[in-house]
Amino acid sequence: MATWTTPVQAQMSAFLPMKEKVAASEPSEVDGTYRISSINKRITIANGRAYAIDPWVHALVLQVKPNMVVMRNFRQTAPNRFIADDLPLLGKAAFVRQADGVLDVKVAGALGPVRYKLIPVDYVDNPVVDDVPADDTPITPEQDREYHLYVNVISCDGTALLRKRYRGYYSISVTDAEGNEIRSGNRNFDVRCTKKGSRRQALIHDANGKGSLRIVVPPGQDGFSNLVIYTTLNDLLGPLDLKNDKSSLLLKAKNLRRDLNPGESIENVERIASGKAQLLFRVQLKRVR
């Protein structure tokens, strides 16, 4: 997830080559069109590479488009066994063909192992939503994806702490796939910045509470972007409004080049106010399901 300036830029193209740019090699005995069990999207294996038929969103914001190559160097290593380079997952994929033609796939990805199945389907030009393989092998339906976005620690840093205390409230927001802002309620904070004693405040996360966002992405919809942290400080001269829209947390998610797994989280420290004393928020994004 990079930093975008308009909702139109809420998604970006995946870093994958088009099939015309990847040289074809020898065909294999499993060349054909398959549905990925985990996301219900189709790919075609042909002449040593696999390319997308249906579009999907990878790692929250990367758009995999039709004819993008998602596997290359596809080759057979033994009877009913194949290997390839899985480009979105950044790892080596091992395939075992079952008696019904389904390919059981294990990928040693850059950020951990991933397993899914490739289920043979008939190729058609238009997307197929409710087709079932000829042997009636059930397809796992794509489910809603739920994420929690919240601040879990507020702290102070600096060499000359002239300001003794930061008090105020904050909220966070993101932009959904339709360009609408989703914003949390305001949450109060009070953190002291003296050199002695605690200089941090831990916040208990409540998915439906103030200062937190519960984001549900329905099947087939794009993810979200444009993380903004709004902060109001209770200054001696009156309220001071600050806006941090330069967070790199979503960029971290984009750089995974895959979606977060359920239960997995990433976090980043965001500077809210700078100077000789700095106010820092630690923001966390967690995939719940």
Side-chain angles (χ1 to χ4, degrees):
M1 291 185 178
T3 300
W4 297 277
T5 56
T6 66
V8 175
Q9 298 173 301
Q11 302 293 327
M12 63 185 301
S13 181
F15 308 109
L16 300 172
M18 304 303 290
K19 68 176 182 179
E20 295 81 8
K21 301 294 185 180
V22 178
S25 59
E26 293 298 318
S28 74
E29 59 188 57
V30 292
D31 281 7
T33 299
Y34 297 81
R35 187 180 296 278
I36 303 172
S37 63
S38 58
I39 59 175
N40 276 346
K41 303 298 181 182
R42 295 172 304 160
I43 63 172
T44 290
I45 301 173
N47 300 319
R49 67 234 199 278
Y51 56 89
I53 298 299
D54 302 315
W56 71 83
V57 176
H58 176 68
L60 301 183
V61 296
L62 297 178
Q63 289 183 329
V64 178
K65 300 177 182 179
N67 293 324
M68 279 186 170
V69 174
V70 294
M71 297 179 192
R72 65 194 309 172
N73 300 324
F74 192 96
R75 57 201 183 277
Q76 187 167 4
T77 58
N80 295 316
R81 294 181 180 274
F82 307 82
I83 60 173
D85 298 325
D86 191 307
L87 301 186
L89 295 177
L90 300 175
K92 186 72 69 176
F95 305 77
V96 177
R97 182 172 58 175
Q98 301 174 355
D100 57 4
V102 172
L103 299 180
D104 189 11
V105 188
K106 297 179 181 179
V107 183
L111 294 171
V114 178
R115 187 169 183 174
Y116 58 87
K117 293 182 183 296
L118 294 179
I119 302 170
V121 297
D122 292 329
Y123 175 80
V124 292
D125 289 333
N126 297 321
V128 177
V129 177
D130 57 356
D131 59 332
V132 178
D135 61 357
D136 292 331
T137 301
I139 298 175
T140 303
E142 190 175 0
Q143 303 293 322
D144 288 346
R145 291 168 288 158
E146 181 179 337
Y147 306 87
H148 291 181
L149 181 64
Y150 54 95
V151 174
N152 56 14
V153 171
I154 297 176
S155 61
C156 288
D157 195 12
T159 55
L161 300 178
L162 300 180
R163 180 188 288 271
K164 300 302 182 184
R165 194 175 191 178
Y166 280 112
R167 289 182 292 179
Y169 55 89
Y170 73 89
S171 64
I172 55 179
S173 77
V174 295
T175 301
D176 66 15
E178 298 179 353
N180 301 314
E181 184 183 42
I182 306 172
R183 186 165 175 174
S184 73
N186 294 328
R187 179 160 187 173
N188 295 328
F189 65 89
D190 185 347
V191 57
R192 298 180 181 276
C193 300
T194 58
K195 293 183 179 179
K196 296 180 179 179
S198 176
R199 294 165 61 185
R200 54 183 283 166
Q201 177 183 357
L203 302 177
I204 299 176
H205 168 53
D206 179 354
N208 298 310
K210 296 179 179 179
S212 300
L213 282 179
R214 174 178 176 268
I215 308 166
V216 177
V217 181
Q221 281 197 16
D222 294 338
F224 48 91
S225 61
N226 299 337
L227 170 59
V228 180
I229 305 172
Y230 299 93
T231 308
T232 297
L233 299 178
N234 296 330
D235 195 78
L236 293 177
L237 301 179
L240 177 62
D241 294 326
L242 303 173
K243 177 181 177 181
N244 181 341
D245 58 359
K246 306 298 183 183
S247 170
S248 59
L249 177 67
L250 301 189
L251 179 61
K252 277 189 174 181
K254 185 208 74 171
N255 288 338
L256 291 178
R257 298 175 67 92
R258 62 171 177 81
D259 202 348
L260 293 174
N261 297 315
E264 184 181 10
S265 63
I266 57 173
E267 64 180 31
N268 201 59
V269 175
E270 308 294 347
R271 182 177 291 106
I272 304 302
S274 355
K276 294 183 178 180
Q278 301 177 8
L279 178 63
L280 306 174
F281 285 11
R282 193 170 71 194
V283 185
Q284 187 170 82
L285 174 67
K286 181 177 182 179
R287 169 96 182 262
V288 179
R289 61 180 173 88

